[in-house]
Amino acid sequence: GDTVKVTWINSGMTTIDSGHMAVYNGAETLVDSATLVSSGNGHYYKLHTVPNTPGWYAVALTAVWSGSTYKRRTRYNAVIEDVD
């Protein structure tokens, strides 16, 4: 499948204590999970391979900083296209 770059950008701070990404399918079954990688200056990422099964997926990002937990969730639709 294709690869997408999932990102977390901290506004006003340059580091987090930990960052995690989880991807769920439409049935809320976990299909991918990983620790976010720092690319410097408060930017974190994870390269995610899009599943070969069409459908909606939810990406849940979690960051912990100074004892506080911050979360973000977004969705994407995986579409399989025929190539001639």
Side-chain angles (χ1 to χ4, degrees):
D2 292 334
T3 301
V4 295
K5 187 176 188 178
V6 178
T7 59
W8 179 281
I9 300 172
N10 286 329
S11 177
M13 56 185 155
T14 58
T15 62
I16 58 176
D17 299 328
S18 65
H20 186 261
M21 178 209 71
V23 178
Y24 301 92
N25 65 14
E28 289 295 316
T29 301
L30 183 68
V31 296
D32 190 12
S33 178
T35 300
L36 297 175
V37 177
S38 174
S39 59
N41 296 324
H43 293 82
Y44 295 82
Y45 74 96
K46 162 66 171 84
L47 296 178
H48 164 65
T49 301
V50 176
N52 288 326
T53 304
W56 285 97
Y57 293 84
V59 179
L61 296 171
T62 304
V64 177
W65 182 71
S66 293
S68 296
T69 301
Y70 301 88
K71 297 182 179 185
R72 189 179 97 194
R73 189 172 172 108
T74 190
R75 293 173 35 133
Y76 71 87
N77 189 14
V79 178
I80 305 300
E81 294 185 13
D82 292 329
V83 177
D84 293 331

